[in-house]
Each structure stands twice: as C-alpha cells, then as structure tokens.
Amino acid sequence: MTKKGENKNMENGITERLLDSNKKDADNLKDRTWDEVKKLWRIGAPSILARVSSFGILVVTQAYMGHIGEIELASFSLVQNINMRFVDGILYGMGNALPTLCGQAFGAKQYHLLGIYLQQSWIILLTVSMFLVPVFIFTTPILRLLGEPEELSYYAGKLSPWFLTVLFYHLLGLSTQMYLQAQHKIMIVGWISAIAFVINFILSWLMVDKLNWGVPGAMGAMTVSVCFIFISVFFYVFGGWCKDSWKGFSKSALNELWPVVKLSISSGIMLCFDLWSGGVLVLLVSYMKNAKVSVSAFSICLNIIAWVYMIFIGFSGAASVRVANELGKGDALAAKFSIKVNLSISLTVGVIFSILALVFSENISHAFTSSNEVAQEVSSFSTLVALIILLNSVLPVLLGVAIGAGWQSLVANVNLVCLYIIGFPLAIFLGYVIHLQVKGVWMGVISGVAAQTLVLAYITWRTDWDAQVGKTMTRFNRSILPSSEEVSSDITSHA
C-alpha cells in the first residue's frame, strides 16, 4: 500500500471516530435531556395542577361575583388584589425560604432537617400573621385612606372577613406544600387541590344558582374548599406518610432560628415586591374615570394572567427543587443543565398561551362578567395580556432558580429597581401624563417586567455554580441542628 493510501485510510479512520464520538455525544445529550424533562415534569406537573386548581377556586368565585353584579365583582377584585396580594406577598414570600432550605437538605440526604425547617417556618409565619389579621378587619377605612370610592370601600369591607380562611391557608397550607414539594411528594397536593376545585364549583352552583344565596353563597363555597385543602394536607403529613422527614414537633426547631428568620425576611422582601405589583396596578387603575368598569376589566385581565401564571409557578417550583437538590448533592453541572431544560419547556408553553390569549380574549371575558362594556374593555387589552404571559413564562423559572440557590436578597434588590423605580413610574407617566389610561399603565409595567427578566437572566448566566455548591456545603457543615436519631429522642408529639 502506498503512503498516499495509508494517509487516506488514516483520515477515514479519524473521520469515522469523530462521527462515532459526535453520535455518542448527541445520544448522551438526548438521554440527559429526556431524563431531566421527566424529573422536571414529575415535580412540575403536580405543582401546576395544585396551583391552577387552588387559584381556580378564587377564579370561580370571582366569576360568580361578576354575574351577581358589577359592584360585587369590583369589591371582590379590590380585596383580592390589594388585601390578599399584600398579605400573600408577606406570607408566601417568607414561606419561600422553605424550598431553599428543604430542597438543599433533601439533596444532601439530611432528611431530618426538613421537618425542623417546616416547624421553624410555622413559628415565623404565625408570629407575622398576628399583625396581618387587622388588614381584613379594617378594610373599609384602609381603602378610604388609599382614596378608593366610598361605595367600593364599603362593599369591600363587607367581603374581606371571608378571606381570613385564605389567609390561614397561605400561612400553614402553602408552607406545608413547599415542604412536600422539596421531597418530591407534591402529587398528593395536586389531587387534593383538584378535588377542592371541583367541590368549589359544585358548591358555588348549588349555593348561588340554585339556592340564590348570592354573595354569602359564593364566599361560603370558597371557604369550604380552601379549608378542605389544608386539612387534607395536614392529615397526609401527620398521618405517617412523611416518616423520614416528619418526626413530630421538636424543641430543635428553636435552634438556629435566626438564620431561617433572615432568609425568610429576604425571601419575603423579594416576593413582596413582585406580588404587590398587582395591587399597585389595581390602585392606579381605580383612580381613573369609570372606576367600576376599569377595575373590573383590569382585574379580569390580571386573573387570566395569574391563572396562566400558576402553570409557570409550577415550573418555578420545579426549578427551585431541582437546583436546590443538585446543589445539595454537589453537582453544579446538573444544576446548570436543569435550568436550560426548564427554561426551554416553560418558554414553549408561554408561546402557546400567548397565542390563545390573542385569539380567545373576548370569549374568556364573558365567563367573568355579564357586562358587554367590561368584556369589550378586556378584549382591547389582548395584545398586552399576551405579551406579559410570554414574559411570565421566563421570569418565574428564573425566580425559582434564585430560590433554589438562596439568592433572595439579591433578587429583592432587582425587583425593587425594575418594578418600582422603572416600571411603576413609567406606568404613571404613560397612564396619567400621556393620557394613555389603562393601556399606558400596562405598557409601563410590562417594561418593568421585561427589565426584571433580562437582569435575572444575566445573573443566572454569569453565576459560578461551582462556587454555589461550595456555599451550600459550607452551610450544611457548620449546621449544629441534631441528626435524625437525636431528633427522634426529642419528640414531643408524633403523628
């Protein structure tokens, strides 16, 4: 064989080896991606079912209130979007320290810490809730102070005490769900929430349509459904289905409470800035002409967005669990890969729902109101609603990554600047100075959300994930909380 032939054979051999290597890499990437997709959906799908169903209870109640009357719909919208968003931002926000703590502990196989972290969260949230109950008792004077119309303030004050059950659901129920999600036991919550949604729909139909109980019927159906969720979740935890992580109430929950308090405060501030934005929007719109129509239409748009947002909250929960678990295990590459896959799936879903919002906006609005004026107002916002749904398909995943990694303090600053220094001032300028009215408010807020998304995407992209693993390991190494054997001997009560 000539030298030229030998070189040609050698080149062919190298080419074949490169092709084989590329094929193996492609197959490996395909297998890794499919494996990650399955992990994300095992966490995300039940979480989506739970979020959509539990929020659906409020949506169904709002729909019935809209068919009872415009003033009832506007009053319900004020309480939900001002009182509940204020309280939810604090309780849900502070409770979101749990996905960080429990997720990383589960990844590190420190299962005994999950139950202790849950009890610490309850202690913190119960303490805070003592200062939040008056928000629902003094709703009318609070809304008057904020400059709301007298009629809306009066009727909102009549409705607000009904929301106290939702307050305690957010206090104890949501934190328990986060504890279950961190250990991949969220499916039971999904089924419980779905059953509660069906109960709410049936009771609303019975009490409002058949028995003509009006507002008390709609709010009573909501109360029964919400109570069903958190009683069922407690029964699951205390009934022995979480034997590795729940050993009963323990005095160990009082150990190292301050670090959990600090993380809870950071988490609360982070999500308060995010969740309170809806309440600020409703306030801005309520000062415009024809407040009843504006508030009703704007609230319907917010609820459409929020209901779709519950799907992305499921992806957010999956992101926080996967990132926290992998950091707890010490695998930085797996954490990065999970983020890429999650963002790809969530963005695809966001594109689909944005298209649906453009096509079916007017049809959806009639489900919430009998007023053609309100329905037409909702329909006119369809393009802006579709755009914010698209942004929301990315932002919650990035927030979930931040929660899983424990970046609550950093993200709190990002949310403050993007929403309250950029978004809302621009909304006021466009809505009131340029006189674009409600559309101007929407455009300003979308600008803030876009800035928020871009900044968080940059932070995530530039993060040194190996350093994040080091920080997680350091925190567990210096923890002085007792092991599961020590906790067992300190049980004061056992489920």
Side-chain angles (χ1 to χ4, degrees):
M1 183 180 290
T2 63
K3 188 171 183 181
K4 186 176 180 181
E6 289 177 358
N7 289 338
K8 187 173 181 64
N9 288 337
M10 185 179 298
E11 288 175 3
N12 289 337
I14 293 172
T15 302
E16 288 177 3
R17 285 195 296 273
L18 286 172
L19 289 173
D20 288 341
S21 176
N22 290 337
K23 185 179 179 182
K24 288 178 181 177
D25 288 343
D27 290 341
N28 184 44
L29 177 62
K30 182 179 178 181
D31 291 340
R32 284 177 62 207
T33 302
W34 179 239
D35 185 54
E36 184 60 38
V37 167
K38 289 189 292 185
K39 288 178 180 177
L40 288 171
W41 277 110
R42 274 198 295 267
I43 302 168
S47 181
I48 290 170
L49 178 61
R51 297 288 183 183
V52 170
S53 298
S54 57
F55 189 78
I57 293 171
L58 291 175
V59 173
V60 168
T61 305
Q62 185 192 39
Y64 270 94
M65 298 295 283
H67 289 287
I68 292 171
E70 281 188 26
I71 188 64
E72 287 80 5
L73 173 60
S75 301
F76 182 91
S77 302
L78 275 181
V79 178
Q80 182 187 352
N81 288 296
I82 296 178
N83 297 49
M84 277 311 305
R85 281 183 182 271
F86 174 75
V87 169
D88 197 26
I90 296 172
L91 295 181
Y92 177 65
M94 295 186 73
N96 257 284
L98 274 179
T100 305
L101 299 168
C102 290
Q104 293 181 1
F106 185 81
K109 298 183 179 180
Q110 298 290 321
Y111 303 125
H112 68 285
L113 292 177
L114 274 74
I116 293 175
Y117 287 142
L118 177 61
Q119 292 171 58
Q120 289 177 325
S121 181
W122 283 345
I123 292 170
I124 295 166
L125 295 179
L126 280 168
T127 303
V128 172
S129 69
M130 294 169 59
F131 301 95
L132 298 177
V133 171
V135 172
F136 296 92
I137 297 174
F138 302 106
T139 296
T140 297
I142 290 172
L143 292 177
R144 285 172 181 159
L145 186 63
L146 292 173
E148 292 299 316
E150 177 62 29
E151 187 181 21
L152 284 178
S153 300
Y154 174 77
Y155 278 99
K158 292 285 187 181
L159 283 178
S160 59
W162 288 97
F163 281 85
L164 285 172
T165 51
V166 183
L167 165 69
F168 286 103
Y169 164 66
H170 287 178
L171 169 63
L172 300 174
L174 284 179
S175 56
T176 308
Q177 290 178 30
M178 294 174 196
Y179 155 82
L180 291 172
Q181 181 175 271
Q183 50 192 309
H184 304 182
K185 292 184 177 182
I186 191 65
M187 179 59 78
I188 184 65
V189 180
W191 287 117
I192 289 170
S193 300
I195 293 170
F197 176 75
V198 174
I199 290 173
N200 176 253
F201 194 85
I202 294 172
L203 288 179
S204 296
W205 169 78
L206 178 64
M207 294 180 177
V208 179
D209 289 343
K210 295 302 177 182
L211 298 177
N212 293 318
W213 288 358
V215 173
M219 301 304 290
M222 181 189 76
T223 300
V224 171
S225 306
V226 168
C227 289
F228 173 81
I229 296 177
F230 65 75
I231 290 172
S232 300
V233 169
F234 287 157
F235 179 77
Y236 180 81
V237 173
F238 298 152
W241 285 276
C242 300
K243 59 183 179 180
D244 291 333
S245 59
W246 181 262
K247 304 294 183 179
F249 293 100
S250 171
K251 290 185 291 185
S252 299
L254 299 175
N255 295 340
E256 292 196 346
L257 189 59
W258 179 239
V260 181
V261 171
K262 289 194 295 184
L263 184 61
S264 296
I265 292 173
S266 299
S267 182
I269 293 171
M270 179 188 87
L271 288 178
C272 277
F273 288 145
D274 202 40
L275 293 174
W276 287 353
S277 60
V280 175
L281 285 174
V282 172
L283 280 175
L284 289 177
V285 171
S286 68
Y287 299 136
M288 292 180 174
K289 296 177 181 179
N290 201 2
K292 280 198 296 185
V293 172
S294 297
V295 170
S296 297
F298 197 74
S299 179
I300 288 171
C301 289
L302 284 180
N303 262 6
I304 292 170
I305 292 168
W307 210 4
V308 177
Y309 189 75
M310 294 301 108
I311 297 173
F312 303 126
I313 285 289
F315 289 119
S316 177
S320 67
V321 171
R322 290 291 300 126
V323 169
N325 285 174
E326 296 302 338
L327 290 179
K329 291 176 185 176
D331 194 339
L333 289 176
K336 289 164 61 177
F337 187 73
S338 177
I339 295 168
K340 294 175 183 177
V341 174
N342 199 329
L343 280 171
S344 300
I345 297 172
S346 186
L347 183 58
T348 302
V349 174
V351 171
I352 294 170
F353 275 97
S354 295
I355 295 171
L356 291 176
L358 285 171
V359 175
F360 297 108
S361 61
E362 187 169 353
N363 304 68
I364 296 171
S365 63
H366 281 292
F368 292 89
T369 180
S370 302
S371 169
N372 288 327
E373 187 179 6
V374 173
Q376 288 172 3
E377 187 84 355
V378 172
S379 182
S380 69
F381 300 143
S382 59
T383 302
L384 298 173
V385 169
L387 182 56
I388 203 163
I389 286 175
L390 188 61
L391 287 171
N392 280 346
S393 68
V394 176
L395 181 59
V397 175
L398 297 175
L399 290 173
V401 171
I403 291 169
W407 300 340
Q408 282 88 336
S409 295
L410 173 62
V411 178
N413 292 324
V414 172
N415 291 351
L416 173 63
V417 172
C418 293
L419 292 176
Y420 292 83
I421 296 179
I422 297 175
F424 290 133
L426 187 57
I428 293 170
F429 177 76
L430 294 175
Y432 287 90
V433 179
I434 305 297
H435 301 296
L436 294 179
Q437 297 297 307
V438 179
K439 287 185 179 180
V441 173
W442 271 117
M443 292 165 64
V445 170
I446 288 173
S447 300
V449 173
Q452 186 185 14
T453 304
L454 289 173
V455 172
L456 290 179
Y458 178 77
I459 291 172
T460 303
W461 174 55
R462 295 291 297 172
T463 293
D464 183 345
W465 289 98
D466 290 316
Q468 294 299 314
V469 167
K471 291 178 181 178
T472 302
M473 295 299 104
T474 300
R475 186 171 62 78
F476 280 122
N477 289 336
R478 71 166 181 256
S479 175
I480 60 172
L481 288 174
S483 66
S484 55
E485 290 79 9
E486 293 171 301
V487 171
S488 298
S489 64
D490 189 34
I491 299 170
T492 58
S493 64
H494 194 281

